[in-house]
Structures are given as C-alpha cells and as structure tokens.
C-alpha cells in the first residue's frame, strides 16, 4: 500500500510538472514564437498601413482588426498606436479606432485554439521546422517560425489538458477554481493579474479553456476571467505611455476605459450574455472563445458611434498642460523598432527644425537693420535648440540603422541625417549674421537707405524659400529651383550694387565689409538649402 501510495504521489507530481507546468510553458512559448514570426513576416507592411490610416474611424477599426489578427498581438498594435500619437503621426481619434479594432483582432487567437487540432500539431511543427531552417528567404523563415509556433501552441494545450488530472484529484484546487464561478469579481481579478504578469491574454484564456473542458471551471468563471484578461492587457499600454505626450496618455487610457467599461456593462447583462454564449456552440472551449469575440465586438459597436464624445471626455479628463518647448517633440524611442514610423517622426522633427531656421533668419536680418538685444537672446536660444535637435535626430537615426531595414529605409535614414546637418549649418550662418549685427551696433556703423532696402528684399526672397521647406520635406518632388536661383542672383546683384556705393562714398568701409559678409552668409544658407533639397529629392515619401 505504501508503495502504491508513493507511486500515486509520484504520478501526480509528474502530471503537475510535465503536464500543467510544462504544458503551460510550451503553450506560451508557441504563442510567442507564432506572434514573433508573424510580426517579422508582415511587420513593416503592417506598420506602414497603420501609419497611413486617415481620420476615418470605421476604416481604422477594420484595418486594425485585420492587422492584429495577422500579428497575433493586440498589445503590439496598441503600444504602436501610443507611439504614433506621441510622435504626432496619428490623431487621438484615429488611435481610438485602432484600439477598437485591436481588441477585436486579438480574439482570433482564442478562436484558433478552440479548434481541435492537437492531432495535427506535430504536422505543423514538422512543416514549420522545415520552412524555418530550410527557407530560402528571411520572409519564408519567419513564416516557418510562425507555423512552428502554431504547432507548439497545440502541443502545449494537449500537455496542459493531460496534466489537468492532478488538478482534478486535488480537492483544494478544485474547490477554489469552482468557486470562481460564484465570485465573478475575483475571477476578473485573476484574469487581469494573469494577463498582466505573462503579457498575454491568449495564454490565460487558453488555460481557462482547458480547465473548463476538464469540468474544473464553470463557463461563468471562465467568461469572467476573459473579461479580466482584457483589462490586464491594458497595463502594457499604460506603461508604454509613461513620460509621453498628453495625447499618448489619453490613448492608453482610452484602451483601459474601453475594457473596464465593457466589463461593467457586461456584468449588468451577465445572465443574458452567458445564456447567449452557451447557445453559440455545444463545445465549452468554443463558448469561451465566442465570449471573447462577442465581448469585444459588442463593446466596439457601443463605443463606435460615440467616438467623438469619447475623445472629448478623454481630453477633459486629461487636459493639456502648458510646458516649456523643448528642442525635440516628435522623436519617440518606442518607434525605433518600427522603421517607417520612426522615419516619419524624424521628418516631422526636421520640419520643425526648418521652421526654427526660418525664424532665425527673420530675426537675424531684422537685427542687421535695427539692433534689438531681445531678438539676440531669442535667436541664441533657437540656435541651441537647433543644435540639440540635430544631435537628437542624428542619434535617433543611428539607433534606427541598427534595426533590420530595407534598402530604401537605410537610404532615407542617411538622407535625413544629411538634411538635419544642413539645417544645423544654416543655423550657424544665421547666428553669424546676428553676430555681425552686434558688431555693427558696437562699432556704430550705419547702412545707407539703399543698402537697408536691398537687405529687406533679400530677407523676403530667402524667407519665401525657407517657408516652403516644410512642404518640400513632406513632398520632395516640389520644384523650388527657380526660387533658389532668384535668391542667388539677387545676392550677386546686391554685392555689385554695394561695390558701386562704396566707390561713390555713399557707404562706409566698415559697414561695407559687414554688408558683404551678410551676403556671403545668405549665399551659404541658400547653398545648404539647395544641397538639402537635392538629397531629399532622391526619394519620395
């Protein structure tokens, strides 16, 4: 008897370790491998599509649902949306639509697990292994990883189901799990904590499906755990929003409040919801998968018509706070692993730098005509901001080049580094004009009325070019050659005119030297504009 008892205990421990623990680990590993493989297989395309979404919320829901189903990760899509909003590449309304769709798309995983494919799991593993290690291209190998992970997921589910025997024989565990059906709030908390700890709602739902199939967990308890997993996945987005812009934080809260509100609403109609779910399929695993889908679809249908009001409520709950303007506003480290989005963020930042250069030009040229110490201080601050931005953009793009980029993305990264360096050099020359203005003031040199009038014309001509820079950064195919040539021709003419005035004695030599230096710096700025445009014209956005 003792030997028999010891053998039973040994069998139980083996069931626990090999079945429950090992099966759960293999399930989570398979889910992770499948998700990573799919992300790598279609990642850049997914991110480009997501970044190109317009303000159509309904379109955002559909596209996001499809992308999430492809990537098998609502968390990845939601965190990506937070990064896009923080970088100014997506509006809050767009992001809310993306969140709706991500919640629907993630339910595909549970639906897949509800299919009884364990008999074919080894076939998927064999196919995935062959493609993963014998594929001719990276895309093929990534797809092989996804198929391999898909097979491992079902092997893990099968092992977990086989190990449930120990849990069934453990009265204490059985009683606790069965009680979850009578304690819905506790079940929600278990689901939320589980999803938060393992960063996967699918893994927790899979465990709930296995326990329900074994008769250890009631349908009501399993559905409440499903509700909790939706809330638990919101934590990742909250963590991703720490230290971001107010709109990015609003996006994270939009995700959290969407799931919490949906759970509260579902509890109000819980008996009807459970009865409806029970009627959808004779299989309890399919019922649990359907509850996940129905919850998110119904929640989206309720929120979708109210999106505008929902966004306004988020804006009231998280108001914009005034803060000092830093040199960098668009760069977000969360986008580094998303090359198309990171490149867009850099373009937006470079556009801001070009506006800064235009402001510096206006201030330095005005100081040359009429000294203003206040403008000098403002220009010095802008010069520092421009230098800081140039360093930040360069460092950001260098980090980006460490990622796996396609040839066009690598070229764009190099071109954008070239462009921001051109802008920094423009800022240096404009700062030199401000220094010349200070020297002119200190020496008491004066320009003739003709010289002042010509500098004003030159300022307007250069201003017309610099004002167009943000548009050209958006669309490098815009034609600006004539405007640039006009500035260069005008500079040459003004230089000749001033030589004539010096010969006629209408302008002092000291003022004349300063005037020539200003012309030289304007030509240098224009030259860097020309160089920058030639670089940007090598690709289309």
């Amino acid at each position: 008897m003792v030997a028999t008892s010891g053998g039973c205990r040994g069998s139980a421990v083996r069931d626990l370790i090999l079945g429950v623990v090992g099966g759960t680990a293999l399930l989570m590993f398979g889910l992770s491998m499948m998700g990573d493989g799919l992300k790598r297989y279609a990642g850049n395309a997914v991110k480009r599509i997501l970044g190109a979404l317009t303000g159509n919320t309904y379109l955002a829901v559909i596209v996001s649902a499809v992308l999430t189903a492809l990537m098998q990760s609502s968390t990845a899509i939601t965190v990506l949306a937070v990064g896009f909003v923080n970088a100014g590449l997506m509006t809050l309304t767009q992001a809310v639509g993306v969140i709706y769709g991500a919640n629907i798309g993630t339910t595909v995983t549970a639906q897949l697990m509800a299919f009884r494919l364990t008999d074919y799991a080894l076939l998927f593993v064999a196919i995935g292994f062959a493609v993963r290690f014998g594929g001719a291209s990276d895309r093929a190998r990534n797809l092989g990883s996804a198929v391999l992970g898909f097979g491992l997921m079902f092997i893990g589910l099968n092992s977990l189901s086989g190990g449930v025997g120990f849990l069934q024989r453990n009265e204490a565990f059985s009683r606790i799990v069965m009680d979850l059906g009578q304690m819905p709030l506790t079940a929600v908390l278990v689901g939320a904590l589980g999803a938060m700890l393992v960063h996967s709602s699918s893994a927790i739902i899979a465990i709930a499906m296995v326990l329900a199939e074994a008769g250890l967990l009631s349908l009501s308890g399993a559905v409440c755990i499903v509700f909790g997993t939706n809330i638990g996945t919101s934590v990742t987005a909250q963590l991703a929003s720490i230290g971001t812009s107010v709109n990015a934080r609003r996006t994270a809260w939009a995700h959290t409040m969407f799931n919490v509100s949906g759970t509260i609403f579902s509890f109000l109609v819980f008996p009807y919801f459970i009865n409806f779910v029970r009627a959808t399929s004779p299989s309890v695993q399919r019922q649990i998968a359907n509850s996940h889908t129905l919850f998110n679809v119904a929640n989206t249908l309720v929120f979708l018509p109210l999106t505008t009001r929902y966004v306004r409520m988020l804006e009231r709950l998280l108001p914009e706070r005034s803060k000092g303007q830093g040199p960098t506003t668009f760069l977000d480290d969360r986008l580094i692993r998303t090359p198309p989005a990171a490149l867009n963020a850099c373009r937006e930042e470079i556009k801001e730098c070009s506006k800064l250069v235009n402001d510096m030009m206006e201030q330095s040229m005005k100081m040359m005509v009429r000294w203003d110490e206040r403008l000098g201080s403002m220009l010095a601050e802008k010069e520092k901001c421009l230098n800081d931005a140039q360093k930040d953009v360069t460092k950001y793009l260098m980090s980006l080049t460490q990622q796996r980029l396609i040839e066009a993305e690598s070229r764009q990264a190099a071109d954008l580094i070239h462009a921001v360096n051109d802008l920094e050099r423009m800022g240096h020359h404009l700062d030199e004009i401000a220094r010349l203005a200070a020297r002119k003031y200190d020496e008491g040199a004066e320009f003739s009325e003709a010289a002042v009038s010509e500098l004003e014309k030159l300022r307007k001509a250069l201003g017309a070019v610099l004002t167009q820079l943000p548009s050209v950064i958006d669309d490098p195919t815009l034609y600006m050659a004539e405007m640039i040539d006009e500035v260069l021709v005008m500079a040459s003419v003004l230089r000749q005119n001033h030589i004539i005035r010096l010969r006629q004695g209408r302008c002092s030599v000291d003022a004349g030297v300063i005037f020539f230096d200003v012309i030289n710096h304007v030509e240098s700025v224009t030259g860097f504009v020309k160089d920058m445009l030639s670089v940007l014209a090598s690709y289309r956005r």
Side-chain angles (χ1 to χ4, degrees), residues 230-242:
N230 283 281
I231 296 173
T233 55
S234 305
V235 174
T236 306
Q238 290 288 350
L239 293 174
S241 71
I242 295 174

Side-chain angles (χ1 to χ4, degrees), residues 246-293:
V246 66
N247 265 339
R249 295 197 301 275
R250 288 167 181 164
T251 302
W253 276 107
H255 189 211
T256 302
M257 293 171 63
F258 175 83
N259 288 317
V260 171
S261 301
T263 299
I264 294 172
F265 176 76
S266 296
F267 271 132
L268 296 177
V269 294
F270 194 67
Y272 305 101
F273 185 78
I274 287 294
N275 289 335
F276 184 78
V277 167
R278 189 175 283 115
T280 59
S281 173
S283 166
V284 68
Q285 291 194 349
R286 179 65 64 190
Q287 290 170 5
I288 295 170
N290 289 344
S291 74
H292 193 205
T293 302

Side-chain angles (χ1 to χ4, degrees), residues 61 65 74 99-108 110 201 205 226-227 229-231 233-234 255 258-260 262-263 266 273 288-304:
V61 172
S74 62
I99 287 169
Y100 296 161
N103 277 271
I104 294 174
T106 193
T107 65
V108 171
S201 61
I205 292 173
V226 169
F227 292 165
T229 60
N230 283 281
I231 296 173
T233 55
S234 305
H255 189 211
F258 175 83
N259 288 317
V260 171
T263 299
S266 296
F273 185 78
I288 295 170
N290 289 344
S291 74
H292 193 205
T293 302
L294 289 169
F295 171 86
N296 285 291
V297 170
N299 210 15
T300 297
L301 291 176
V302 171
F303 271 81
L304 198 51

Side-chain angles (χ1 to χ4, degrees), residues 22-45:
T24 302
L26 193 56
L27 166 68
M28 293 177 61
F29 180 72
L31 281 168
S32 176
M33 178 177 284
M34 180 174 65
D36 288 345
L38 288 170
K39 286 177 200 173
R40 293 193 183 99
Y41 177 74
N44 283 340

Side-chain angles (χ1 to χ4, degrees), residues 25-43 46 67-74 76 105-115 117 121 124-125 128-129 132 138-157 200-203 206:
L26 193 56
L27 166 68
M28 293 177 61
F29 180 72
L31 281 168
S32 176
M33 178 177 284
M34 180 174 65
D36 288 345
L38 288 170
K39 286 177 200 173
R40 293 193 183 99
Y41 177 74
V46 166
L67 297 184
T68 305
L70 289 174
M71 293 183 70
Q72 292 292 299
S73 176
S74 62
T106 193
T107 65
V108 171
T109 308
Q111 292 291 348
L112 288 174
M113 289 189 292
F115 287 105
L117 298 176
F124 286 117
V125 169
F129 181 86
R132 170 67 182 84
D138 285 342
R139 281 177 61 83
R141 288 189 286 272
N142 289 332
L143 185 59
S145 292
V147 176
L148 177 59
F150 185 70
L152 292 175
M153 177 184 74
F154 280 102
I155 293 176
L157 276 173
S200 173
S201 61
S202 298

Side-chain angles (χ1 to χ4, degrees), residues 422 425-426 429 488 517-530:
D422 279 341
R425 293 182 187 121
M426 293 180 212
H429 284 285
L488 294 175
D517 284 343
V518 171
I519 297 296
N520 292 337
H521 286 303
V522 167
E523 287 177 328
S524 296
V525 169
T526 308
F528 282 121
V529 171
K530 192 172 184 178

Side-chain angles (χ1 to χ4, degrees), residues 63-257:
V63 172
S64 177
V66 173
L67 297 184
T68 305
L70 289 174
M71 293 183 70
Q72 292 292 299
S73 176
S74 62
T75 300
I77 294 293
T78 304
V79 170
L80 197 57
V82 170
F84 276 25
V85 172
N86 189 55
L89 305 175
M90 183 181 285
T91 66
L92 180 58
T93 301
Q94 289 172 279
V96 168
V98 169
I99 287 169
Y100 296 161
N103 277 271
I104 294 174
T106 193
T107 65
V108 171
T109 308
Q111 292 291 348
L112 288 174
M113 289 189 292
F115 287 105
R116 299 182 183 276
L117 298 176
T118 52
D119 292 342
Y120 306 99
L122 288 176
L123 177 62
F124 286 117
V125 169
I127 294 173
F129 181 86
V131 177
R132 170 67 182 84
F133 292 98
S137 65
D138 285 342
R139 281 177 61 83
R141 288 189 286 272
N142 289 332
L143 185 59
S145 292
V147 176
L148 177 59
F150 185 70
L152 292 175
M153 177 184 74
F154 280 102
I155 293 176
L157 276 173
N158 191 45
S159 299
L160 182 57
S161 298
V164 168
F166 166 79
L167 302 178
Q168 287 176 313
R169 293 190 296 272
N170 189 304
E171 293 183 7
F173 180 83
S174 298
R175 191 180 306 113
I176 292 172
V177 175
M178 289 299 296
D179 286 345
L180 287 177
Q182 307 302 320
M183 299 184 294
L185 291 180
T186 302
V188 170
L189 183 61
V190 168
L193 289 175
M196 182 175 62
L197 290 174
V198 303
H199 297 287
S200 173
S201 61
S202 298
I204 302 303
I205 292 173
I207 294 172
M209 290 166 69
V210 170
L211 294 175
E213 183 74 14
L216 289 171
L217 181 63
S218 67
L219 177 61
S220 297
V223 170
C224 289
I225 288 176
V226 169
F227 292 165
T229 60
N230 283 281
I231 296 173
T233 55
S234 305
V235 174
T236 306
Q238 290 288 350
L239 293 174
S241 71
I242 295 174
T244 59
S245 67
V246 66
N247 265 339
R249 295 197 301 275
R250 288 167 181 164
T251 302
W253 276 107
H255 189 211
T256 302
M257 293 171 63

